[in-house]
Amino acid sequence: MRHLHFRRAARTSALGGAALVAALALTACQGGDTAAADNAAGSAPQKPAAGTSAAPASDSTKTDGSGTSASGAASGSGSDTAKESGSATRAPAAKQPQDSDTGSGSLPTCTGANTKLTITSVQRPVNHMLLTVTNTGSKACNAFYYPFLKFGEAQSVPPVVEDSKPQAVVTISPGESAYAGVTTSSADGSGTGGYSTQDLAVGFQDRNSGSAGGMVDVPLGKDVYVDSTLTVTYWQSEMDNALMY
């Protein structure tokens, strides 16, 4: 009986060892398969995710030896090219217009050197005379403000009728004329300090209200009576405007 029990125990031990060996072998096979699978997965090329570049990430940071990445250099080059292109196609700045002879500021001032002056009596209104200035030059000239008048030995020029001031400077073209009305005395005899004279001198003004050229003698042709109501209008481009004050 004891021998039989021993043989059973030995058989059970042998079977258990065989089972243990088989289990170890199976575990080793499974471990090898898992490692092989991991190695296969690691060596297989990875498909890039959608929307990303297939180029290796290291290419985008490759330098050219100067510390500047290739992508950065390309970006800078493109920016410089855009700047050069923009500067090459930019239109030149417009030039400022130059003064021309048609502008009032560039025209000469009317003076005794480029004009002729005449004065005549008129029937209406009474005690009025018409002073005419004609451009005898080759260019248009500006007749600024009003004429300075000196009758006889007068020590001052007569005042101007302010209501007669035109909206713009009167420009006289070659051969054309401008006009000024002169009230010599009051029609009702209310003026004072009256006297008669055959002498008249006329002066022009510049744009700064200063004298332009010398006084010009203008023949009256007869005695003219003047008193304290003596006045003159601004230069007018129309005769009727000069005689309405």
Side-chain angles (χ1 to χ4, degrees), residues 1-14:
M1 290 294 292
R2 295 178 61 183
H3 290 292
L4 180 59
H5 178 73
F6 177 79
R7 283 197 295 272
R8 287 179 179 174
R11 188 186 311 168
T12 300
S13 176

Side-chain angles (χ1 to χ4, degrees), residues 112-212:
N114 55 11
T115 63
K116 179 182 179 181
L117 290 163
T118 59
I119 190 168
T120 56
S121 296
V122 295
Q123 293 183 346
R124 293 284 185 276
V126 296
N127 301 338
H128 274 64
M129 302 187 79
L130 180 68
L131 179 65
T132 302
V133 56
T134 303
N135 186 346
T136 58
S138 60
K139 296 179 63 175
C141 66
N142 288 325
F144 292 104
Y145 308 109
Y146 56 92
F148 292 144
L149 304 182
K150 182 182 178 182
F151 281 90
E153 300 299 323
Q155 301 299 309
S156 61
V157 298
V160 66
V161 180
E162 289 294 343
D163 289 344
S164 66
K165 186 175 182 179
Q167 294 182 351
V169 175
V170 175
T171 300
I172 310 175
S173 299
E176 300 298 321
S177 300
Y179 309 91
V182 181
T183 301
T184 57
S185 60
S186 62
D188 58 4
S190 61
T192 61
Y195 60 94
S196 295
T197 182
Q198 293 186 9
D199 299 324
L200 172 64
V202 177
F204 294 89
Q205 297 187 64
D206 59 23
R207 66 171 52 255
N208 297 317
S209 301
S211 179

